Amino acid sequence: MALIFDRIKSTPGEALLLLTALVTLVYSLNFMFFSTCYTTGGGDCFTILSNGLDGSSTPLDMAYGAGAPETAFNGILMFGIFISTVLILNEGGRGKWTVMLPVLAGLTIATAVIWMFWNDASESSEAPKFLTPIVTITYAAAYFMLRGEDEVDEGLNSISFGIGVKDPVALMGLVIVIATGLFYVFRQIANPESVIDAVTPGDVSDGLLAPTKVTVAFTGALLLTYVLWAVVILTQGARGMWPVAHPALFAFLTITIANYFGFVFGPLREFSEQNQMDAISGPATMLLFLLVYLRLREEGIEEGMTFQGEPMDSSSFNRFFVMSAIAISASFMLVELSGL
């Protein structure tokens, strides 16, 4: 018996996915919109969750004001995982191993790096240190619950390791996205110091100090999910892969919008050439992946596309994508203009 979403047959699986969606939504909204306040402890500003840092102590906590932009980026990556979870709840679990296994891989690596790099300079609140493995176990349990009636593993036994995309433009675009993503994944997990050293620290009260190793490595772990989604499309072919493509599309759309409002409202650090390359990589990935998505329509990427179980065509998705862009932009504008 379904709790809320009729297209999920396993009640325990639905409950576990709901819990995953709730946690990722709260953390993603907190990081996306209130990262500055989060990294400075939430004393005189609004934040959904506080990391427990105290700006009034002497000396200041070592992580006070560290890495607000990077924390915000992590929130957006978590927002994409939230979207993928809600998509499964809305549309059913059949064949969604293509979505879930990459998420599970990213969460597993995130659990590993958060424990590897955690130290006294990380954060005062240790909630993320324990919540990340709990969410990972919850998501893994949901996957196993969906292997029965919900047939989440459908098609996994015929997995292909070749090239499934025929369109040369889409193929090249996916290769670039995967190669770029792998570069950032390995750089941020294996050598987070290189990211930290490239940062010119800004005002501590604006959260513009260099990020901690935990924040940087966590970014790499979350990015792994997006790289694996692209790999799934490349190797398995485009047909019916809209559940894999949509969360990534909306996540990188959000990154592009967040970049715009960040540059308009500031405050900003002084950018090095490496920082400029990093900043442009998000919008560039969005444009490239959107091009790939449009090119793959002829190869059936939207085959079987539904919204709340009802068939959805390309025109309907185009309108939904534009309306989502407007809603996301309005949310960032509201937060910035309200001074939250």
Side-chain angles (χ1 to χ4, degrees):
M1 179 180 178
L3 296 173
I4 300 173
F5 298 91
D6 294 335
R7 280 166 288 281
I8 297 293
K9 299 180 178 65
S10 169
T11 301
E14 181 186 3
L16 293 169
L17 283 179
L18 282 168
L19 179 58
T20 302
L22 176 62
V23 173
T24 52
L25 176 63
V26 171
Y27 269 91
S28 63
L29 293 179
N30 190 60
F31 290 169
M32 282 166 57
F33 295 120
F34 313 113
S35 61
T36 298
C37 195
Y38 177 79
T39 58
T40 56
D44 300 321
C45 53
F46 178 79
T47 183
I48 301 173
L49 301 169
S50 172
N51 64 358
L53 294 172
D54 184 3
S56 63
S57 62
T58 304
L60 291 176
D61 292 299
M62 295 178 69
Y64 179 79
E70 291 78 14
T71 300
F73 185 70
N74 285 348
I76 297 173
L77 295 178
M78 292 176 70
F79 182 58
I81 293 175
F82 162 75
I83 291 173
S84 73
T85 306
V86 172
L87 185 150
I88 294 169
L89 287 167
N90 263 322
E91 313 308 329
R94 188 175 185 179
K96 298 300 192 303
W97 65 268
T98 53
V99 179
M100 294 191 74
L101 290 184
V103 172
L104 186 56
L107 290 176
T108 301
I109 299 300
T111 298
V113 298
I114 205 168
W115 278 83
M116 285 170 54
F117 291 108
W118 196 278
N119 54 46
D120 292 339
S122 299
E123 299 178 57
S124 292
S125 171
E126 293 195 340
K129 184 179 177 181
F130 296 99
L131 195 58
T132 303
I134 290 173
V135 171
T136 303
I137 293 170
T138 299
Y139 195 83
Y143 177 78
F144 282 102
M145 291 293 181
L146 297 180
R147 294 179 69 186
E149 289 183 277
D150 291 281
E151 300 178 277
V152 72
D153 280 346
E154 182 181 83
L156 183 58
N157 58 352
S158 58
I159 189 171
S160 169
F161 295 99
I163 301 298
V165 171
K166 301 179 179 65
D167 182 85
V169 175
L171 175 60
M172 184 57 64
L174 282 171
V175 169
I176 294 172
V177 167
I178 292 168
T180 304
L182 285 175
F183 165 76
Y184 279 105
V185 168
F186 284 109
R187 172 189 167 209
Q188 290 171 292
I189 293 176
N191 190 18
E193 295 87 353
S194 66
V195 179
I196 296 169
D197 292 343
V199 171
T200 301
D203 193 332
V204 62
S205 63
D206 293 323
L208 297 182
L209 296 185
T212 63
K213 288 183 182 180
V214 168
T215 302
V216 174
F218 196 75
T219 301
L222 294 180
L223 277 175
L224 178 62
T225 291
Y226 293 81
V227 173
L228 292 177
W229 279 339
V231 169
V232 167
I233 297 172
L234 178 68
T235 57
Q236 307 311 304
R239 190 166 301 279
M241 286 295 173
W242 60 273
V244 182
H246 287 183
L249 270 180
F250 286 107
F252 283 98
L253 170 67
T254 306
I255 289 169
T256 303
I257 293 170
N259 276 12
Y260 171 79
F261 281 96
F263 291 139
V264 169
F265 288 94
L268 300 173
R269 298 186 184 118
E270 181 181 339
F271 270 25
S272 65
E273 289 185 5
Q274 180 174 309
N275 298 148
Q276 290 174 336
M277 181 184 73
D278 294 345
I280 202 173
S281 64
T285 300
M286 191 275 289
L287 291 173
L288 187 57
F289 195 70
L290 182 57
L291 173 64
V292 168
Y293 182 83
L294 295 175
R295 297 283 298 193
L296 290 179
R297 277 179 165 171
E298 291 190 7
E299 295 187 28
I301 196 169
E302 292 178 336
E303 183 178 289
M305 183 169 62
T306 59
F307 182 73
Q308 294 184 333
E310 298 297 325
M312 189 179 196
D313 59 18
S314 296
S315 297
S316 298
F317 177 72
N318 292 345
R319 290 192 294 271
F320 183 75
F321 189 74
V322 172
M323 292 303 296
S324 297
I326 294 171
I328 294 168
S329 299
S331 298
F332 276 97
M333 181 177 291
L334 178 63
V335 170
E336 294 290 353
L337 293 180
S338 64
L340 290 175

